[in-house]
Amino acid sequence: MSLAQIKEAVTELPAEELAELNAYLRERENAEWDRQMDEDFAEGGRLRGVYEEVLADVRAGRGLREKSSRCGNATPSHLP
């Protein structure tokens, strides 16, 4: 089945089935997001360095505000 055929079939779905399809697609997208995050932060992953830096800051008692001021940045306005 082609993508065009799928798109056409979706337009013919009743509201309840369309909602079910949307939920299914969200679940698939979320599972892929979780898999990618696990991969990125795993040992040797592309974001592992960021994880190690944050972990070191937490263990040293450094928070976002302290880190922001060390970098010359103002504290984000959404933080208390």
Side-chain angles (χ1 to χ4, degrees):
M1 182 177 272
S2 71
L3 180 58
Q5 291 169 319
I6 293 169
K7 287 179 177 181
E8 177 62 30
V10 167
T11 64
E12 298 171 14
L13 288 175
E16 185 176 300
E17 289 182 0
L18 182 57
E20 187 177 334
L21 176 62
N22 283 329
Y24 168 76
L25 292 174
R26 275 192 306 276
E27 287 174 22
R28 282 194 53 160
E29 185 176 19
N30 289 341
E32 175 58 24
W33 173 263
D34 289 345
R35 187 202 60 75
Q36 185 65 53
M37 293 297 285
D38 288 344
E39 184 179 302
D40 287 347
F41 287 105
E43 196 68 42
R46 68 184 186 97
L47 296 176
R48 184 59 180 216
V50 173
Y51 167 78
E52 297 291 342
E53 183 180 336
V54 169
L55 186 59
D57 284 345
V58 169
R59 288 181 174 158
R62 292 186 297 267
L64 181 59
R65 287 183 178 177
E66 185 176 321
K67 185 141 184 138
S68 293
S69 64
R70 285 187 311 170
C71 295
N73 298 329
T75 300
S77 60
H78 67 281
L79 295 177

